[in-house]
Amino acid sequence: MKSWPTTSIPKVAKAIKPLTIYSTEQQGLVEFPIKSRYQMYVCGITPYDATHLGHAATYLTFDLIHRFWLAQGASVNFIQNITDIDDPLLERANRDGVDWKDLAHSQIDLFRSDMEMLRILPPTHYEGAVDAIPDVVEAIATLDEKGAVYDIDADKYFAVHSDENFGGESHLSHDEMMTIFAERGGDPKRNGKRDPLDALLWLAHRDGDPYWPSRYGNGRPGWHIECAAIALKFAEPSQDYVIDIQGGGKDLIFPHHEMSASQVKVLTGKKFAKAYVHAALIGLDGEKMSKSKGNLVFVSKLIETGVQPMAIRWALLKRPYCKEYMWQRNETTVAQQELDALAAKLSRSQIPPTESLIAQIYNLLADDLKSDQAIAEINSWVASQGSGGNAQALRDVIDALLGVVLPA
Ligand code: ZN
């Protein structure tokens, strides 16, 4: 699928520290020794409520990783899917009385344009679930050969315990898994399941649903196998694992990333990802921002009201990516004031020394993406006095590493 246009990145001094980042699986920091190529898979949206601030914060988090690796001089094989067929999309289309394909297309267009406005670098491979159906069917066949698949009626299920490490990514108790599985689209109570947590791989055609022909009859793919199959289609696996980072919002820790990890393990015999990185969710007015609460703040709506995309990006960078966060309504105003003050400072003929600030920006990002602290350092530099700084060098680092382009 077409992604979105990339933005140019100024050449900056090489990042010489390896990136360390918190991984849900290891429950601690994981270091990525410097190498020439990295692989990252970030779960994409289901196109029906693009692009709210939670989405933006998630893709921004992985954009920081992408940009940091590029600053090391590496290339990044960045893979992202788009779940352009699944229950939530069909439910929304039915609710609103629109064709599911029209809804998906319009939301994908909106997502692309929001990502471009926010200067999120595009994926190397951007793949829709519909386009990947042949790959999903092949992956199911391979799982079947390995004895990990069984039928309930004409539907296909993945037996989670065919992976002996099932549960190792999320570290949840069985009871917690059962609760979350039911809340997030799972079907623990379905008759005929060997384990209530077994995951749907292929849903046979139901009346009124879209379907595609396959060797398993007409139907459509499950969500978790979609990401497993798309990752395997485009990744260049190393000896020990398929990709370096599997990423997404914290709401994907279970069941989605656990299931995909198990499926990839059974498919390849390798670990799916070296690290599982999760961006925290964003709330509004003391509540989690969610479609069910109807309190989503959309990027495109903020931009429509005159908010500069860079002010949104700056405001999101000011929070630690891994901590739940309440969005404040005046946040982009404050962010714009800070950006204006920074731009004004940089346009002066003499500015305070920039060398140590630039080094701090690199170091803070290398240390679990502390963009919040990097911005605090930038703001205190703006308030400082002195001379001898290099405005262009600082401007370029803020652009290349933080993705923020300042007014000239
Ligand atoms: Zn996914």
Side-chain angles (χ1 to χ4, degrees), residues 41-44 81 83 223-224 226-228 246-247 252 256-257 260:
Y41 186 99
V42 178
C43 290
N81 68 307
T83 305
W223 177 32
H224 316 307
E226 168 199 335
C227 282
Q246 157 73 311
L252 300 189
H256 186 53
H257 285 177
S260 301

Side-chain angles (χ1 to χ4, degrees), residues 24 41-45 52-62 169 184 223 246-258 276-282 288 319 321-322 324:
T24 305
Y41 186 99
V42 178
C43 290
I45 58 162
H52 58 71
L53 283 177
H55 291 140
T58 294
Y59 299 114
L60 176 57
T61 297
F62 296 97
E169 181 263 343
R184 296 191 185 147
W223 177 32
Q246 157 73 311
K250 281 194 176 171
D251 51 342
L252 300 189
I253 292 174
F254 190 86
H256 186 53
H257 285 177
E258 189 74 62
Y276 292 82
V277 178
H278 295 106
L281 306 177
I282 293 189
K288 190 186 145 194
R319 51 173 264 290
Y321 82 91
C322 50
E324 288 226 11

Side-chain angles (χ1 to χ4, degrees), residues 322-349:
C322 50
K323 290 212 176 77
E324 288 226 11
Y325 176 81
M326 283 298 152
W327 179 258
Q328 311 295 324
R329 289 177 198 275
N330 67 344
E331 224 154 317
T332 53
T333 311
V334 177
Q336 190 62 55
Q337 286 162 356
E338 291 174 358
L339 285 171
D340 291 345
L342 172 58
K345 189 88 174 183
L346 284 167
S347 66
R348 292 192 190 171
S349 56

Side-chain angles (χ1 to χ4, degrees), residues 262-309:
S262 280
Q263 289 166 354
V264 169
K265 183 71 200 299
V266 175
L267 283 166
T268 64
K270 290 178 187 182
K271 271 190 71 172
F272 185 12
K274 174 167 170 164
Y276 292 82
V277 178
H278 295 106
L281 306 177
I282 293 189
L284 180 73
D285 298 334
E287 285 196 313
K288 190 186 145 194
M289 212 180 270
S290 76
K291 46 195 174 280
S292 54
K293 294 208 169 74
N295 64 350
L296 297 174
V297 176
F298 291 96
V299 170
S300 52
K301 293 275 182 288
L302 286 176
I303 294 172
E304 263 172 42
T305 62
V307 175
Q308 295 293 312

Side-chain angles (χ1 to χ4, degrees), residues 20-71:
T20 56
I21 193 148
Y22 184 86
S23 169
T24 305
E25 187 203 7
Q26 286 85 350
Q27 298 179 299
L29 294 175
V30 169
E31 183 177 294
F32 287 90
I34 292 179
K35 55 181 180 175
S36 59
R37 188 159 171 81
Y38 295 91
Q39 318 273 328
M40 178 161 69
Y41 186 99
V42 178
C43 290
I45 58 162
T46 301
Y48 64 93
D49 62 357
T51 308
H52 58 71
L53 283 177
H55 291 140
T58 294
Y59 299 114
L60 176 57
T61 297
F62 296 97
D63 193 52
L64 291 178
I65 296 174
H66 193 172
R67 287 170 178 275
F68 192 82
W69 280 338
L70 293 177

